[in-house]
Amino acid sequence: MQLDINPDLAEMRPTVRRFVTEQLEPMALQIDALGEVPAQVLGALQAQGYLGMRLPANLGGAEADLSTYCLVMEELGRSHRVFTLMLDASSGLTPIAIARFGTEEQKARYVPGLADGSQRASFGLTEPDAGSDAAALRTRAKKVEGGWSISGMKHYISGAHRADVVMVLAVTDPALKARGGITAFLVDRGTPGMEITRTDKTIGSDPIQISEIRFEDCVVGDAAVLGAVGQGFAIAMGSLVSGRMGVSAACIGTADRLLEIAIDYAKTRTTFGQPLSERQAIQWMLADSATELALARSLAYETLRRIDAGEDTGSAPSMVKLFCSEMVGRIADRAVQILGGAGLIRGVHVERFYRDVRHYRIGEGSSEIQRMLIARDILR
Ligand SMILES: Cc1cc2nc3c(=O)[nH]c(=O)nc-3n(C[C@H](O)[C@H](O)[C@H](O)COP(=O)(O)OP(=O)(O)OC[C@H]3O[C@@H](n4cnc5c(N)ncnc54)[C@H](O)[C@@H]3O)c2cc1C
């Protein structure tokens, strides 16, 4: 069953799928072996108009709505998580925040380069003592003559070791904290006082790395403030809604591909004289996966439609993120089970997806935090 949000997106999907299958897919299996993304990927995404697709047209973007962005995200998710992260880096949290809240000077300075992929941005919220409890930030920015002095530490920041600019959330008024005491700053690479102190690989594909950043009396000008002083927490939390929908779309794409692989394998692998697909135990796994995927699509597409229509969706994006990230974990697990040993060989699609999807229940707000937000909404 292939649902789509509207006829325009249904028409667009085969083009996106063809591009991913023909141009990106041949590189997907090389990525882990190389430990980096082949340079052609960025050029291919740009030529297709997908980089920066949600950014304003006058700054090099395509002004796509969230539904269109998520369709592309879903199709990229069928191939490799790294491709979805590249789309997010050019059109996700930091680029969107700059396009929405930046001064004309900030927009002109950063957005065109982020839109065409020549610059990279990271989003610096998480700290050792402020993960799920993002409001517990300790990084401080103190007012100095003509600017701000930032001191503190961020960690788990995706792609920070390669970023040209990091959007850093810092406390400017400890008495107010999340209620107007946190400010967003755009800190350029090489600013004295900012140092990447470690970079780690994670459970998933090799090129996905997260960094620790230390700030010691890192002085930035007043022009580095994004939005108003004190507005940073609202900017960060506001960006997370579209981030969660993007992650959910990637989960749907990956689940779709995993189900497809599991079905193909079940039809062709014979044990005890019959294809696996004739066995009820296998059929039930496939049936459960197909049902959960259909549910995920319905919930996500309906929520996207409402977001793009400007409706208040309450905790629906949290429900979508919770369900999709857990759904893809279950579908990946069943796919490995159906493929048996063939699903465990390092580097095959199913094994790689199995590792990569584990991120989704932690990043952009863990499952527990989504449940907390949903409960808060329904108990109001
Ligand atoms: C690969 C990767 C990339 C990331 N990229 C970025 C990035 O680019 N920028 C950025 O700012 N951050 C990034 N993060 C950080 C990410 O957002 C945090 O890891 C996440 O918010 C969870 O915070 P934590 O790891 O400190 O876990 P903790 O907050 O310590 O939570 C640990 C566990 O306890 C649970 N828990 C916490 N509080 C509660 C509660 N009240 N009730 C029930 N359970 C609870 C959590 O759900 C989790 O399961 C990234 C993380 C990863 C793994």
Side-chain angles (χ1 to χ4, degrees), residues 17-155:
R17 182 155 312 176
R18 201 171 321 113
F19 160 72
V20 173
T21 311
E22 291 174 5
Q23 297 197 43
L24 299 186
E25 185 64 10
M27 293 183 267
L29 277 177
Q30 296 170 23
I31 290 175
D32 263 11
L34 291 172
E36 59 184 26
V37 185
Q40 308 93 291
V41 173
L42 197 69
L45 286 169
Q46 191 196 3
Q48 207 65 16
Y50 297 153
L51 287 185
M53 62 186 291
R54 293 207 63 221
L55 299 173
N58 65 337
L59 295 169
E63 285 183 24
D65 60 15
L66 192 57
S67 300
T68 310
Y69 172 76
C70 283
L71 180 135
V72 175
M73 197 58 126
E74 190 184 317
E75 293 299 320
L76 294 175
R78 282 177 48 88
S79 184
H80 201 299
R81 180 167 136 82
V82 163
F83 302 147
T84 69
L85 293 176
M86 290 171 79
L87 188 71
D88 180 64
S90 73
S91 233
L93 301 177
T94 301
I96 290 284
I98 299 175
R100 201 170 286 162
F101 299 100
T103 59
E104 291 309 315
E105 194 193 330
Q106 287 169 335
K107 288 189 224 177
R109 180 165 170 193
Y110 297 110
V111 178
L114 296 172
D116 69 17
S118 60
Q119 286 201 55
R120 300 178 204 216
S122 284
F123 178 73
L125 174 65
T126 305
E127 301 180 1
D129 292 312
S132 302
D133 185 6
L137 296 186
R138 290 188 177 180
T139 296
R140 277 293 313 266
K142 290 187 180 156
K143 192 75 191 85
V144 293
E145 179 77 33
W148 297 81
S149 166
I150 304 173
S151 293
M153 187 162 123
K154 298 285 169 185
H155 79 169

Side-chain angles (χ1 to χ4, degrees), residues 81 85 88 93 121-134 154-160 167 169 200-204 208-211 240 244 358-359 361-370 372:
R81 180 167 136 82
L85 293 176
D88 180 64
L93 301 177
S122 284
F123 178 73
L125 174 65
T126 305
E127 301 180 1
D129 292 312
S132 302
D133 185 6
K154 298 285 169 185
H155 79 169
Y156 302 166
I157 309 303
S158 299
M167 174 175 154
L169 280 300
D200 290 297
K201 291 181 174 175
T202 66
I203 187 175
I208 301 169
Q209 296 181 10
I210 50 179
S211 295
L240 284 177
R244 284 171 186 159
R358 192 61 185 85
H359 286 98
R361 284 158 56 195
I362 308 277
E364 308 262 352
S366 65
S367 290
E368 291 72 26
I369 295 310
Q370 304 309 326
M372 203 173 85

Side-chain angles (χ1 to χ4, degrees), residues 94 98 110 120-125 154 157-169 184-189 194 196 213 215 224:
T94 301
I98 299 175
Y110 297 110
R120 300 178 204 216
S122 284
F123 178 73
L125 174 65
K154 298 285 169 185
I157 309 303
S158 299
H161 61 304
R162 290 187 177 157
D164 298 286
V165 58
V166 183
M167 174 175 154
V168 178
L169 280 300
F185 297 89
L186 297 174
V187 186
D188 292 327
R189 187 221 303 259
M194 173 168 90
I196 305 288
I213 316 175
F215 298 90

